[in-house]
């Protein structure tokens, strides 16, 4: 097997056969990438299609949520900034989640997309889920930690980045 489903010259053209461990190592981040990408695309679409969420006031609105967490957040000034334009902040989060999710799924600028996902998760952890006790009950901290391997490693398999890198190597 050459890592692409066929047999022959090996993934790197060396003619050596690679073991299952080496192949598994290459694909190890793919399930995480798919999970985070799908989750963030879904979260972004869910927010963009929820008129209650994208409102400054009312049940289920971003404004109500920000007002509710303001005093218990780690950085109240960040919440105050969001409260200057709750609708704009809601759209920014939703569009950011959608772009991060799509970039992660497609693997285009994968490290940048993962960094965006990590920053969104960090900001949500420091504001919305900061008051969770014990800390591991909050869901944003695990998302932040899940993004870090993708920030470090990028998307080397089944990605636009890998395709573009392979294309650049062939033209050199």
């Amino acid at each position: 097997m050459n890592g692409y489903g066929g047999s022959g010259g090996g993934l790197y053209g060396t003619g050596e056969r690679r073991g299952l461990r080496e192949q598994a190592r290459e694909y190890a981040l793919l399930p995480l990438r798919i999970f985070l990408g799908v989750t963030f695309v879904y979260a972004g679409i869910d927010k963009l299609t929820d008129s209650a969420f994208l409102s400054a006031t009312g049940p289920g609105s971003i404004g109500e949520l920000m007002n509710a967490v303001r005093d218990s957040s780690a950085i109240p000034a960040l919440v105050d900034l969001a409260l200057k334009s709750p609708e704009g902040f809601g759209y920014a989060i939703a569009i950011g989640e959608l772009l991060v999710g799509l970039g992660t799924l497609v693997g285009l600028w994968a490290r940048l997309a993962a960094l965006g996902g990590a920053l969104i998760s960090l900001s949500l952890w420091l504001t919305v889920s900061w008051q969770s006790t014990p800390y591991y009950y909050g869901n944003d901290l695990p998302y932040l930690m899940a993004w870090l391997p993708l920030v470090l490693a990028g998307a080397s398999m089944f990605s636009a980045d890998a395709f573009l890198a392979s294309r650049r190597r062939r033209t050199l």
Side-chain angles (χ1 to χ4, degrees):
M1 296 287 278
N2 67 3
Y4 294 114
S7 59
L11 181 61
Y12 305 106
T14 61
E16 64 189 55
R17 291 168 125 4
R18 297 177 312 110
L20 186 58
R21 280 189 181 172
E22 289 81 19
Q23 289 178 5
R25 193 173 298 124
E26 288 181 14
Y27 294 95
L29 292 179
L30 191 58
L32 182 62
R33 203 175 111 209
I34 292 168
F35 170 76
L36 290 171
V38 167
T39 300
F40 268 56
V41 166
Y42 178 77
I45 290 172
D46 188 46
K47 288 175 180 69
L48 288 171
T49 59
D50 183 357
S51 60
F53 175 80
L54 294 171
S55 299
T57 59
S61 69
I62 184 69
E64 181 180 278
L65 175 64
M66 291 290 102
N67 279 313
V69 301
R70 195 238 175 249
D71 294 331
S72 62
S73 75
I75 307 176
L78 186 59
V79 178
D80 290 339
L81 181 64
L83 283 169
K84 289 185 180 193
S85 176
E87 297 98 334
F89 180 71
Y91 276 105
I93 289 290
I95 292 168
E97 287 175 337
L98 184 60
L99 292 175
V100 161
L102 290 172
T104 301
L105 283 174
V106 173
L108 182 61
W109 299 328
R111 284 190 170 110
L112 182 61
L115 180 62
L119 291 174
I120 290 170
S121 297
L122 176 64
S123 67
L124 292 174
W125 176 56
L126 292 173
T127 55
V128 178
S129 61
W130 181 257
Q131 75 280 0
S132 297
T133 304
Y135 75 92
Y136 50 82
Y137 280 174
N139 63 345
D140 296 308
L141 183 58
Y143 278 101
L144 170 60
M145 294 299 120
W147 282 112
L148 296 181
L150 296 177
V151 169
L152 296 172
S156 62
M157 300 300 290
F158 302 114
S159 68
D161 289 346
F163 172 76
L164 294 171
S166 168
R167 196 166 165 210
R168 278 191 302 270
R169 280 192 301 272
R170 279 185 271 151
T171 60
L172 292 177

